[in-house]
Amino acid sequence: MKISKTKLALMSAGLSILCLCAIVFFYYQGKSDAVDPLIAEQSAGYQVATVRVTADGFEPEHIELLPGVPTKINFKKSTSFTCIKNMISKELGMDIPLNKGDNIVTLEAMQPGTLEYHCGMYMYYGTISVKDIKSMS
């Protein structure tokens, strides 16, 4: 079977356009300006924090909380294209699967100290510091 140069050029152009569309789709996948679901929780007496789960890890890597106040943390995963599939903390006794979108974790009032968490592959880490308001930086 012989393919003419014109057909080959059209097929190459079509394949290039298809690849470009796929790249654009994956680039914009997961980007949204939705309202933070924790706004209502804050008015209900919780302290709240959002940790973005990206291909580069947890952002921010470190959060500071007040002791004695229940907390809700949203591990917001914007893309499925990351190796971070779960959040594990031995100190908190948690192994939470992280799906794309909002993943809200509720923590009871904690005592001062520093707690660590990491992804299931131990590649990305984060810390939660529970400090009195006087010692927060």
Side-chain angles (χ1 to χ4, degrees):
M1 184 170 139
K2 194 172 188 178
I3 299 176
S4 70
K5 289 182 180 181
T6 305
K7 284 185 180 179
L8 186 60
L10 287 174
M11 287 181 4
S12 295
L15 186 59
S16 298
I17 290 171
L18 186 61
C19 288
L20 182 62
C21 289
I23 290 169
V24 169
F25 171 76
F26 288 121
Y27 177 77
Y28 287 105
Q29 181 234 0
K31 293 191 177 196
S32 70
D33 296 328
V35 174
D36 190 342
L38 295 178
I39 291 173
E41 302 296 343
Q42 194 168 18
S43 64
Y46 287 92
Q47 59 184 330
V48 299
T50 297
V51 176
R52 292 175 307 285
V53 180
T54 70
D56 297 323
F58 299 106
E59 297 174 4
E61 291 178 1
H62 179 77
I63 57 175
E64 294 182 345
L65 302 173
L66 296 171
V69 181
T71 303
K72 294 211 179 205
I73 302 174
N74 184 5
F75 287 89
K76 191 173 187 93
K77 191 172 179 182
S78 60
T79 180
S80 298
F81 298 102
T82 174
C83 73
I84 301 176
K85 304 294 183 214
N86 55 344
M87 184 280 295
I88 299 171
S89 175
K90 290 182 183 176
E91 294 142 325
L92 294 171
M94 296 183 155
D95 185 351
I96 309 291
L98 298 175
N99 300 311
K100 185 177 173 194
D102 298 313
N103 298 276
I104 298 173
V105 175
T106 303
L107 304 173
E108 298 301 318
M110 297 181 287
Q111 299 300 315
T114 300
L115 307 165
E116 292 186 352
Y117 60 91
H118 56 83
C119 72
M121 296 177 66
Y122 294 86
M123 292 177 59
Y124 299 107
Y125 290 83
T127 57
I128 301 170
S129 291
V130 183
K131 300 179 178 180
D132 288 319
I133 198 160
K134 294 177 265 180
S135 60
M136 286 188 135
S137 53

